């Protein structure tokens, strides 16, 4: 009985857990295609495209000068089985009528006088044997009557036993009936109380979901109406401006927010987000990922000019919250050409852990040189992906993931280190963003944004690690929650 109850409760709870489980699960991107051509699924450290030695040349790193180190512009700043009662088989009792024998048949024979004697003598010869025979039969009959008697006794005994059995069986049956009744009440009780309350819980969950959907719909509607007019930043740009963020902080702009910069009198002033607090401040954000709000799978032209949202108002009058953006290759190149520039890459995973990669030298060539990348002097906790490639890989597999000295590639402009005649086999097409792809990457900060971080080759569009990856830190299949790339002119020590 308790087992039945437990089983029942277990089934109920399984039902509840199941229904809640589907609520927790965030299957945001179910539209993704399965991996193509069965290519290398489940390889933990992806990033690279192993060489087919017979046909393919090893990717050549394009020689590039290290970033400039002279011409420093700034002095140092101060600074779960069921058990059931089986029903007894019905007992069939023998009919006890006819069990008693009768023995009066011989009593009519009454002999008289000589008639009898003659008759007797006449018949003696025949009767004698008959009598003998009869005697014998009588004896046998006596015997059999006594055995029949004892048989009758035996039958009586059996009958008594059977009757007792019947009573016992009736007890068993009524006991069984009682049990069935109890089960019935238990089930009924559960139906009456638990199921309605469970239904209530489920209905509550459905209601909450419904509300969430409505909120989402409202949010989408209001966002759509905002998108009909060109985006205007509804916060004040600070009065203080400068060549870049370092210049601004030196002029007193010490809040992290959006500023207007003009690195060169020949270029139009433009908006950037300056980080004035991290590592002494003065950092100009050239790239930022934090919520997947901006698509980074863009064309050469988009990466050239820049895209995304520079900053938002966090409630106050100024734009103190950075958006997701790519500043633009022309601007980045121009900023790094002004003098020695350092690069700070900050990374955060979905558990809130943070690491950094700092490059003391950072330089980007112009468009004519395909925005070739040059970095130097690594220090940090993230791992030196840009200069040394993915630490999980060995030999040429590792070196083909080095980014330093690579050209910039987008899905519509293939400058990567993967010499494959198949036009589909391009790093930028497979790995989701514009980047200094080799063959292909150890770091992929402009990859696809995966909510929750964990993703699999089956979720990726091409079965490759196209997430926001920094292999040296979290491997290929954890897409980071946040990445930002910030630059600053190198100051005198
Ligand atoms: C390179 O990677 C491939 C598979 O991706 C592997 O078969 C090969 O042994 C690796 N080479 C080295 C040098 O580790």
């Amino acid at each position: 009985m308790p087992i039945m109850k437990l089983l029942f409760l277990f089934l109920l709870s399984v039902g509840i857990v199941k229904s809640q489980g589907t609520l927790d699960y965030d299957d945001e991107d179910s539209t993704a295609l399965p991996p193509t051509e069965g290519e290398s699924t489940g390889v933990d450290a992806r990033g690279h495209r192993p060489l087919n030695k017979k046909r393919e040349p090893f990717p050549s790193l394009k020689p590039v000068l290290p970033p400039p180190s002279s011409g420093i512009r700034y002095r140092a700043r101060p600074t779960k089985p069921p058990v059931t009662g089986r029903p007894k088989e019905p007992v069939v009792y023998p009919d006890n009528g006819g069990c008693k024998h009768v023995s009066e048949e011989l009593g009519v024979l009454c002999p008289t006088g000589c008639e009898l004697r003659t008759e007797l003598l006449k018949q003696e010869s025949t009767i004698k044997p008959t009598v003998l025979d009869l005697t014998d039969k009588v004896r046998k009959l006596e015997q059999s009557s006594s055995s029949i008697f004892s048989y009758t006794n035996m039958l009586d005994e059996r009958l008594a036993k059977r009757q007792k059995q019947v009573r016992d069986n009736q007890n068993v049956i009524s006991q069984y009936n009682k049990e069935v009744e109890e089960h019935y009440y238990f089930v009924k009780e559960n139906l009456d109380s638990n199921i309605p309350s469970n239904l209530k819980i489920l209905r509550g969950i459905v209601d909450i979901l419904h509300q969430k959907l409505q909120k989402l719909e409202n949010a989408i509607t209001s966002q759509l109406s905002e998108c009909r007019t060109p985006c205007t930043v509804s916060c004040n740009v600070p009065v203080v401006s400068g060549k870049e963020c370092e210049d601004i902080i030196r002029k007193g702009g010490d809040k992290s927010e959006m500023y207007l910069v003009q690195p060169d009198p020949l270029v139009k002033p433009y908006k950037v987000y300056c980080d004035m607090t991290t590592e002494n401040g003065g950092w100009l954000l050239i790239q930022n990922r934090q919520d997947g709000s901006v698509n980074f799978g863009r064309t050469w032209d988009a990466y050239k000019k820049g895209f995304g949202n520079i900053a938002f108002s966090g409630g106050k009058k100024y734009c103190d919250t950075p958006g997701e953006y790519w500043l633009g290759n022309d601007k980045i190149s121009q900023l790094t050409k002004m003098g020695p520039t350092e690069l700070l890459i900050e990374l955060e995973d979905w558990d809130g852990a943070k690491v950094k990669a700092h490059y003391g030298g950072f330089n980007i060539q112009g468009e004519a040189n395909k925005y070739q990348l040059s970095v130097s002097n690594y220090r940090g906790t993230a791992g030196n992906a840009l200069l040394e490639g993915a630490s999980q890989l060995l030999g040429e597999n590792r070196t083909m993931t080095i980014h330093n000295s690579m050209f910039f590639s987008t899905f519509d402009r293939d400058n990567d280190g993967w010499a494959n005649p198949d036009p589909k086999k391009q790093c930028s097409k497979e790995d989701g963003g514009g980047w200094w792809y080799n063959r292909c990457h150890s770091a992929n900060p402009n990859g696809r944004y995966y909510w929750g971080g964990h993703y699999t080759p089956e979720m990726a569009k091409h079965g490759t690690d196209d997430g926001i990856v920094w292999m040296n830190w979290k491997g290929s299949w954890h897409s980071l929650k946040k990445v930002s790339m910030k630059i600053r002119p190198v100051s005198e020590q």
Side-chain angles (χ1 to χ4, degrees):
M1 182 67 80
I3 292 172
M4 285 293 288
K5 277 186 191 172
L6 281 174
L7 179 68
F8 195 87
L9 290 172
F10 172 75
L11 289 172
L12 278 176
S13 62
V14 164
I16 292 165
V17 167
K18 261 187 111 173
S19 59
Q20 286 174 344
T22 52
L23 295 173
D24 295 341
Y25 189 64
D26 183 1
D27 55 345
E28 193 190 51
D29 197 340
S30 52
T31 56
L33 299 168
T36 50
E37 293 131 53
E39 195 186 40
S40 167
T41 54
V43 179
D44 194 46
R46 191 62 172 81
H48 69 298
R49 305 293 186 278
L51 283 177
N52 181 334
K53 294 231 165 54
K54 287 180 201 128
R55 287 192 279 127
E56 295 176 75
F58 186 75
S60 57
L61 292 172
K62 338 284 182 212
V64 67
L65 290 171
S69 58
S70 66
I72 290 175
R73 292 163 286 161
Y74 292 97
R75 295 181 166 278
R77 172 158 41 99
T79 58
K80 170 58 213 252
V83 175
T84 52
R86 199 171 347 115
K88 295 276 187 296
E89 279 176 22
V91 183
V92 180
Y93 297 98
D95 179 12
N96 57 358
C99 287
K100 310 234 176 202
H101 72 285
V102 211
S103 56
E104 294 97 331
E105 284 148 276
L106 299 176
V108 289
L109 190 65
C110 190
T112 53
C114 42
E115 204 187 321
L116 180 61
R117 189 172 175 265
T118 321
E119 197 58 33
L120 278 174
L121 285 171
K122 230 202 271 178
Q123 294 185 11
E124 187 187 22
S125 56
T126 56
I127 284 181
K128 218 174 177 176
T130 310
V131 167
L132 279 171
D133 184 44
L134 273 175
T135 309
D136 188 45
K137 278 184 176 159
V138 166
R139 196 175 45 79
K140 276 183 182 157
L141 201 61
E142 265 171 17
Q143 276 174 5
S144 85
S145 92
S146 91
S147 75
I148 282 170
F149 179 70
S150 65
Y151 181 58
T152 303
N153 276 346
M154 195 191 79
L155 281 179
D156 278 336
E157 260 172 52
R158 276 194 195 174
L159 177 65
K161 264 190 200 160
R162 293 287 160 95
Q163 278 170 341
K164 186 173 174 291
Q165 243 174 40
V166 169
R167 279 196 306 276
D168 288 346
N169 283 338
Q170 269 165 356
N171 287 340
V172 167
I173 286 165
S174 73
Q175 169 74 11
Y176 182 69
N177 279 339
K178 215 175 116 212
E179 282 186 22
V180 167
E181 211 167 80
E182 276 177 40
H183 284 285
Y184 169 79
Y185 282 117
F186 177 75
V187 169
K188 188 167 152 38
E189 194 182 280
N190 274 296
L191 282 174
D192 289 351
S193 58
N194 290 358
I195 291 196
S197 76
N198 288 326
L199 276 178
K200 224 157 87 184
I201 291 168
L202 287 175
R203 204 171 294 133
I205 291 165
V206 169
D207 282 344
I208 289 166
L209 278 176
H210 198 76
Q211 281 167 21
K212 281 186 179 173
L213 276 176
Q214 234 157 28
K215 273 186 195 162
L216 272 175
E217 259 175 47
N218 290 342
I220 289 167
T221 317
S222 70
Q223 297 233 339
L224 272 177
S225 64
E226 272 185 38
C227 289
R228 273 186 208 109
T229 53
C231 270
T232 49
V233 177
S234 57
C235 43
N236 301 323
V237 179
V239 227
V240 54
S241 71
K243 287 191 204 134
E244 15 55 12
C245 301
E246 176 67 19
D247 192 21
I248 292 170
I249 198 171
R250 283 166 186 261
K251 287 176 175 170
D254 56 359
K255 282 205 189 77
S256 295
E257 59 179 305
M258 188 180 78
Y259 291 92
L260 213 52
V261 296
Q262 189 175 27
D264 185 287
L266 294 175
V267 301
K268 260 175 58 182
Y270 57 87
K271 290 163 181 166
V272 292
Y273 186 88
C274 296
D275 177 348
M276 302 308 204
T277 45
T278 306
E279 291 190 13
N280 227 11
W283 296 102
L284 186 154
L285 262 75
I286 59 169
Q287 187 261 17
N288 194 41
R289 307 295 299 275
Q290 58 194 8
D291 51 25
S293 58
V294 170
N295 170 26
F296 273 62
R298 302 212 183 202
T299 60
W300 181 266
D301 199 49
Y303 272 95
K304 172 186 163 75
K305 292 176 177 157
F307 57 83
N309 309 303
I310 300 295
F312 299 96
S313 163
K316 298 180 189 126
K317 280 244 170 101
Y318 52 91
C319 279
D320 54 355
T321 310
E324 291 203 324
Y325 68 88
W326 181 256
L327 183 64
N329 289 339
D330 282 344
K331 289 178 183 134
I332 300 168
S333 169
Q334 196 270 334
L335 284 164
T336 64
K337 277 177 178 167
M338 288 169 59
T341 304
E342 54 184 332
L343 168 70
L344 175 63
I345 304 175
E346 291 175 291
L347 311 162
E348 185 179 331
D349 70 11
W350 287 84
D351 298 322
K354 294 175 185 176
V355 290
K356 293 178 183 190
H358 184 276
Y359 290 91
F362 174 62
N363 190 60
I364 302 298
Q365 300 290 313
E367 186 175 17
N369 291 311
K370 304 168 190 168
Y371 304 116
Q372 193 176 15
L373 170 72
S374 169
V375 287
S376 63
N377 299 330
Y378 166 83
R379 67 179 157 83
T381 46
N384 191 358
L386 302 189
L387 279 168
E388 291 179 354
S391 46
Q392 295 93 338
L393 300 172
L394 299 170
E396 61 190 25
N397 288 343
R398 182 181 59 76
T399 55
M400 67 173 73
T401 64
I402 292 173
H403 295 288
N404 187 44
S405 88
M406 297 315 298
F407 297 134
F408 202 82
S409 289
T410 53
F411 67 82
D412 61 338
R413 195 77 64 91
D414 177 27
N415 298 315
D416 62 29
W418 191 10
N420 194 310
D422 182 348
K424 275 187 270 178
K425 304 260 176 214
Q426 290 173 20
C427 295
S428 183
K429 282 186 181 170
E430 292 200 347
D431 292 351
W435 190 245
W436 296 278
Y437 288 113
N438 192 341
R439 182 188 170 123
C440 283
H441 71 254
S442 50
N444 195 30
N446 292 341
R448 297 213 309 166
Y449 199 90
Y450 285 93
W451 200 261
H454 176 73
Y455 70 111
T456 60
E458 289 71 31
M459 290 159 75
K461 203 169 176 184
H462 298 275
T464 57
D465 52 337
D466 63 359
I468 301 174
V469 163
W470 194 275
M471 285 180 70
N472 307 48
W473 182 35
K474 301 293 289 188
S476 295
W477 305 105
H478 182 102
S479 181
L480 302 172
K481 186 180 184 187
K482 292 182 181 179
V483 183
S484 66
M485 295 172 67
K486 306 164 176 181
I487 59 171
R488 177 170 74 181
V490 175
S491 295
E492 263 178 9
Q493 295 301 302

